[in-house]
Amino acid sequence: MSYLTENLHQVREMIREAAIRAGRNPADVSLIAVSKTVPVDVLRETVEAGILTFGENRVQELTEKYPQLPPEINWHLIGHLQTNKVKYIVDKVALIHSLDRFPLAEEINRRGEQKGQIINTLVQVNVAGEDTKFGLPPGEVKGFVEEVSCLPFVRICGLMTIAPYVTNPEEVRPVFRELRIQANKFSEDKVRGFAGNLLSMGMSGDFTVAIEEGANLVRIGSKIFGARHY
Ligand SMILES: *Cc1c(COP(=O)(O)O)cnc(C)c1O
């Protein structure tokens, strides 16, 4: 087995075990292979190993790789998105994880309308209030979702967060829990414009804890591809 199939096997096994520990169906957790900095030939191998969902955090890298890989791949934009770059990706991505401000929502709406396509997004929430991270403070998310609900070409499918970097993932369990509670509450209260139950949380160092707390999209890079070389 190559390192890639070995890593993938291990990650899938950890996803399965974490879901079972939490009394969840492992099939309800989708794996996004975070492919930033990973060359296209390695991604082809990854596709052969059964992965069809890739996450990129830079628009330029995504648009370069996009035409080189099979069209059935689902590309997710997981990093900060500049308003003036929406036009390059709007017809290429299955999901934008980083919606965090109204002008960006307006631009996504405008480009979606031009393409005749409703664009799927997640609202990025800065649960831990870190200065270094993008995302809305939890207290502003509901109002933002309601505001975006007037934009017919933007669909909010759920919430996303990046937990603080810690050595013991147990420390960030409350972050994941808070995001899940917020999403559940929006669904129960039928918050206008909240159209789904996707919870994108968990990376290489903390995804098992995120799954135990309800993640259904995990974004895993280095645990699949090895350490990144920039
Ligand atoms: C890079 C990145 C990841 C994956 O990080 P790993 O620790 O390598 O798994 C997940 N989410 C976002 C937003 C990222 O930028």
Side-chain angles (χ1 to χ4, degrees):
M1 271 204 293
S2 74
Y3 79 94
L4 197 60
T5 47
E6 217 165 290
N7 289 354
L8 271 171
H9 177 76
Q10 196 191 354
V11 164
R12 284 175 168 136
E13 199 52 33
M14 287 171 78
I15 289 174
R16 199 180 66 81
E17 284 167 7
I20 287 168
R21 272 199 302 281
R24 304 181 53 202
N25 182 351
D28 292 342
V29 182
S30 301
L31 169 61
I32 301 168
V34 175
S35 49
K36 61 188 183 204
T37 78
V38 179
V40 163
D41 54 337
V42 177
L43 298 188
R44 290 203 186 93
E45 240 186 276
T46 316
V47 172
E48 272 164 40
I51 296 289
L52 286 174
T53 307
F54 290 124
E56 287 284 344
N57 67 339
R58 288 178 56 239
V59 165
Q60 194 188 335
E61 197 172 338
L62 193 153
T63 54
E64 277 170 20
K65 287 173 177 173
Y66 181 87
Q68 302 183 60
L69 283 153
E72 60 267 30
I73 293 203
N74 294 305
W75 293 95
H76 290 210
L77 198 279
I78 61 174
H80 180 66
L81 179 54
Q82 285 173 270
T83 306
N84 63 355
K85 298 208 169 145
V86 171
K87 56 178 177 285
Y88 301 119
I89 54 137
V90 85
D91 55 348
K92 298 184 178 66
V93 294
L95 188 63
I96 296 171
H97 290 232
S98 47
L99 178 57
D100 61 356
R101 58 202 191 277
F102 196 69
L104 177 62
E106 285 179 307
E107 175 64 4
I108 295 171
N109 186 65
R110 198 164 74 84
R111 297 293 174 179
E113 183 166 17
Q114 280 176 1
K115 304 274 178 194
Q117 208 178 318
I118 295 175
I119 310 305
N120 292 320
T121 67
L122 304 176
V123 175
Q124 183 170 352
V125 186
N126 188 355
V127 177
E130 289 178 287
D131 293 342
T132 52
K133 296 231 165 83
F134 293 101
L136 286 166
E140 292 177 19
V141 179
K142 180 166 180 268
F144 177 74
V145 169
E146 288 171 337
E147 205 181 356
V148 171
S149 72
C150 71
L151 302 174
F153 290 90
V154 181
R155 181 186 289 130
I156 294 177
C157 306
L159 305 179
M160 176 273 215
T161 198
I162 304 172
Y165 179 78
V166 289
T167 41
N168 177 5
E170 282 301 329
E171 286 174 45
V172 289
R173 185 181 289 278
V175 169
F176 299 136
R177 185 168 297 175
E178 185 174 336
L179 196 73
R180 186 239 306 159
I181 288 171
Q182 186 162 47
N184 285 354
K185 187 151 175 28
F186 290 175
S187 299
E188 277 162 26
D189 296 352
K190 300 191 165 51
V191 169
R192 182 166 36 90
F194 196 72
N197 58 352
L198 293 183
L199 267 183
S200 168
M201 52 188 200
M203 315 184 3
S204 290
D206 57 20
F207 71 93
T208 57
V209 174
I211 290 168
E212 287 168 10
E213 294 300 330
N216 49 32
L217 287 175
V218 287
R219 311 178 306 266
I220 301 178
S222 47
K223 207 160 172 64
I224 296 173
F225 298 111
R228 278 181 289 277
H229 306 288
Y230 287 95

